[in-house]
Amino acid sequence: MTLSPFAGKPAPAQLLVDIPRLVTAYYTGQPDAAISTQRVAFGTSGHRGSSFDLSFNEWHVLAISQAICLYREAQGIDGPLFVGLDTHALSTPAGASALEVLAANGVQVMLAEGDEYTPTPAISHAIICYNRGRTRGLADGIVITPSHNPPQSGGYKYNPPNGGPADTHVTKWIEAKANELLAAKLAGVKRISHAQALKADTTHRHDYLNTYVADLINVIDMDAIRSADLRLGVDPLGGAGVRYWSAIAEHYRLNLEVVNTEVDPTFRFMSVDWDGQIRMDPSSSYAMQGLIGLKERFDVAFACDPDHDRHGIVTPSGGLLAPNNYLAVSIDYLFQNRPQWRADAGVGKTVVSSGLIDRVAARIGRRLYEVPVGFKWFADGLFDGSLGFGGEESAGASFLRKDGRVWSTDKDGLIPALLAAEMTSRKGQDPSQIYRGLTDALGEPFAIRVDAKATPAQKALLGKLAPQQVTSTQLAGESIQQILSHAPGNDQAIGGLKVMTENGWFAARPSGTEDIYKIYAESFIGEDHLKRLVEEAQVLVDGAIS
């Protein structure tokens, strides 16, 4: 990848988004449903786009909101709808637009007290807590967020009654109905004024913050953290959890410093990501320079993205821990320190997560559940307790309560962050030191992700490749042991290929937004072997899609 000259440096003024122009475009733009880039499109984490290019504006939000109302009606979902917003500039106007439709359709809406920003995991937690023990009148939720994406982005996610990200059959239904409404220029969308919607009998307030914070004692050993009196640091990256962290510190009497309490929709306090974008990605060392620079001040520190469903862990001994490495450390620790979890509770990972997780699962004697990219694949297992942990390579994870019951079925950035403090307090080592012990025993992985050019036609071919189309028997000097086009955990298509040897693997998947394909590779031998893996992977894939 080509690094921007701004990478890792404070965001200069010329990179800041013009917020008034962005919000004006939200209200004035009219998308054309005949143009694919202006239609509603649910990816792995909802519909995302920007008002600047007519891919996310008021029309999209109105259409999606009406489609969700129709979906709820068709499915008989008539409990409350929990709604949360993050700190992106487009989230607040989108939240207002959504409420106008939801109220007009008579939906019981649960807004945050004091219009508090609300993390994704607080919405999942609220849905699960409300639905516990119920078979009728079930709740669901909406989170208005584009996750860690740049400040000009907007996003809209739907969580059904299991609390997790909506499955593909749900999002396809909502997407199709929303696009019908767009094509009809919003004919069929019910709507009342925002003032009327706020005063509607169906609009209620919910204390997401204190409910979530008070319940953390049931998923994290907060007593151990307090007793160790660790020096903890957190950077909310200007996100929805900014007031949650001070509440956590106060409620549990922790020595926790919030190093940045600023909320600014330009995110001017960020350091620039590798490609010259302002991106609030807690797994990027470029975006995380601010907290990395403070690593000596704390025993362990952490950050979360704007909707707080991703985590980044910073230690004095190792700086920013790579997401895959911390997933492996968390799994190894949790399954040995949660005695009330089911003996058959498995480990959930995606096909492009580290092979170190496979080795950890084998060592602790737990079933590995390997699925395509997308946290939705873990929701049911976390819900019924058959998965103790679900994690994906992009620093998203959740796990069970201490008693083995469900905590959240969506990604939760706060609990992996607090788990770093728990394991440091109980083991006397920070997560980087624990990771080094793990690799001494199981081998050290060397990993990379690279992008390669591909035409739309080639991307389509890659997404449909079958294992028998790969004729090679060797990869980087080792015999190929397995070629996958479907994930072994649930037999769902991975949208590409994964090729494995004894000491390495690569996976190739087409990008959903750019004319490239992505190669993920990992070696347990070394950097030279990793380089060979990538080179031969590109030759193998290029040959297969040519």
Side-chain angles (χ1 to χ4, degrees):
M1 61 186 183
T2 303
L3 281 184
S4 163
F6 297 121
K9 298 176 182 177
Q14 65 262 38
L15 290 186
L16 302 183
V17 172
D18 184 332
I19 300 299
R21 195 164 70 88
L22 181 74
V23 175
T24 299
Y26 172 83
Y27 284 111
T28 58
Q30 292 189 9
D32 184 345
I35 300 173
S36 62
T37 56
Q38 296 180 25
R39 290 167 63 85
V40 172
F42 275 79
T44 53
S45 295
H47 173 74
R48 294 181 186 175
S50 175
S51 59
F52 284 149
D53 55 20
L54 293 174
S55 56
F56 185 95
N57 65 14
E58 186 177 42
W59 276 39
H60 296 98
V61 174
L62 297 173
I64 296 169
S65 300
Q66 183 63 49
I68 287 172
C69 291
L70 294 171
Y71 175 79
R72 297 179 95 241
E73 185 180 342
Q75 297 297 313
I77 301 170
D78 55 3
L81 181 76
F82 292 94
V83 177
L85 318 174
D86 81 351
T87 53
H88 278 78
L90 292 178
S91 294
T92 296
S97 302
L99 179 63
E100 293 169 9
V101 175
L102 297 170
N105 281 272
V107 175
Q108 303 287 331
V109 177
M110 310 297 280
L111 300 179
E113 283 191 355
D115 293 322
E116 183 71 56
Y117 298 113
T118 306
T120 286
I123 296 295
S124 180
H125 177 264
I127 295 168
I128 286 165
C129 289
Y130 183 87
N131 287 342
R132 182 170 292 129
R134 297 177 188 267
T135 56
R136 299 166 58 189
L138 297 178
D140 52 359
I142 287 169
V143 193
I144 297 178
T145 172
S147 189
H148 62 295
N149 283 16
Q152 64 269 26
S153 304
Y156 196 129
K157 300 194 296 187
Y158 173 65
N159 288 35
N162 72 357
D167 205 346
T168 308
H169 72 274
V170 178
T171 56
K172 289 296 182 189
W173 195 99
I174 294 169
E175 178 184 296
K177 186 60 66 176
N179 283 320
E180 283 180 27
L181 292 165
L182 278 186
K185 299 191 180 301
L186 302 183
V189 172
K190 297 180 183 178
R191 185 183 187 187
I192 58 176
S193 74
H194 191 241
Q196 286 177 294
L198 285 172
K199 294 175 183 175
D201 291 342
T202 52
T203 298
H204 313 280
R205 296 288 175 172
H206 180 72
D207 188 358
Y208 292 102
L209 188 155
N210 288 305
T211 303
Y212 177 92
V213 169
D215 206 12
L216 283 168
I217 188 70
N218 293 307
V219 70
I220 297 291
D221 190 345
M222 305 301 284
D223 295 333
I225 299 172
R226 180 175 58 254
S227 298
D229 195 30
L230 298 175
R231 295 167 300 144
L232 305 176
V234 60
D235 188 346
L237 302 182
V242 64
R243 287 189 60 246
Y244 280 60
W245 289 109
S246 55
I248 290 167
E250 181 179 351
H251 187 95
Y252 294 104
R253 305 192 306 281
L254 303 182
N255 181 9
L256 184 151
E257 177 185 346
V258 184
V259 302
N260 173 28
T261 59
E262 190 174 358
V263 174
D264 181 334
T266 67
F267 294 89
R268 65 180 69 237
F269 43 78
M270 290 295 300
S271 54
V272 179
D273 207 358
W274 67 274
D275 59 352
Q277 292 270 4
I278 296 174
R279 188 180 288 108
M280 292 65 68
D281 182 355
S283 67
S284 166
S285 61
Y286 302 100
M288 285 278 282
Q289 281 300 302
L291 191 58
I292 293 170
L294 302 175
K295 67 178 185 177
E296 303 298 338
R297 189 193 295 181
F298 305 108
D299 295 309
V300 66
F302 24 84
C304 292
D305 66 335
D307 71 319
H308 271 48
D309 72 345
R310 298 178 187 224
H311 61 272
I313 309 300
V314 174
T315 68
S317 71
L320 180 66
L321 197 55
N324 270 312
N325 299 350
Y326 184 60
L327 293 182
V329 167
S330 300
I331 291 162
D332 188 64
Y333 173 82
L334 280 166
F335 281 90
Q336 296 183 73
N337 289 274
R338 294 296 187 267
Q340 293 185 64
W341 285 8
R342 283 168 42 176
D344 64 345
V347 174
K349 61 163 278 192
T350 61
V351 290
V352 293
S353 297
S354 177
L356 184 59
I357 294 171
D358 305 47
R359 297 184 179 196
V360 168
R363 185 172 79 159
I364 61 178
R366 293 287 178 158
R367 171 179 60 91
L368 190 71
Y369 182 68
E370 187 171 356
V371 298
V373 172
F375 205 81
K376 62 189 176 188
W377 304 116
F378 303 130
D380 289 341
L382 290 168
F383 188 82
D384 65 18
S386 61
L387 287 180
F389 182 98
E392 56 185 9
E393 73 295 335
S394 55
S398 190
F399 47 90
L400 300 178
R401 294 169 180 266
K402 289 186 285 188
D403 66 3
R405 293 188 301 160
V406 58
W407 166 259
S408 73
T409 50
D410 209 331
K411 298 189 291 286
D412 187 331
L414 292 95
I415 60 170
L418 291 166
L419 184 69
E422 178 189 324
M423 66 175 74
T424 302
S425 67
R426 292 183 61 178
K427 293 182 74 73
Q429 295 180 302
D430 69 40
S432 294
Q433 293 167 325
I434 298 170
Y435 172 73
R436 284 194 286 274
L438 204 57
T439 57
D440 286 345
L442 300 177
E444 181 178 4
F446 298 82
I448 195 171
R449 197 198 91 183
V450 298
D451 298 339
K453 291 289 185 183
T455 66
Q458 288 173 326
K459 286 168 55 183
L461 279 172
L462 175 57
K464 297 175 182 175
L465 276 182
Q468 55 267 32
Q469 290 175 257
V470 177
T471 56
S472 303
T473 59
Q474 295 279 308
L475 177 66
E478 293 191 304
S479 296
I480 293 175
Q481 294 183 338
Q482 210 171 2
I483 304 173
L484 300 176
S485 59
H486 289 69
N490 60 0
D491 199 34
Q492 295 292 321
I494 63 178
L497 279 181
K498 182 176 183 180
V499 181
M500 291 170 284
T501 67
E502 182 179 356
N503 293 295
W505 60 269
F506 82 83
R509 299 176 59 246
S511 167
T513 56
E514 301 172 86
D515 286 338
I516 59 173
Y517 67 82
K518 302 174 183 180
I519 291 178
Y520 304 79
E522 184 177 62
S523 168
F524 279 86
I525 294 176
E527 294 285 2
D528 289 342
H529 184 243
L530 178 65
K531 185 178 178 183
R532 282 189 65 189
L533 276 172
V534 173
E535 290 172 350
E536 293 185 27
Q538 285 194 255
V539 171
L540 191 153
V541 173
D542 288 344
I545 64 176
S546 62

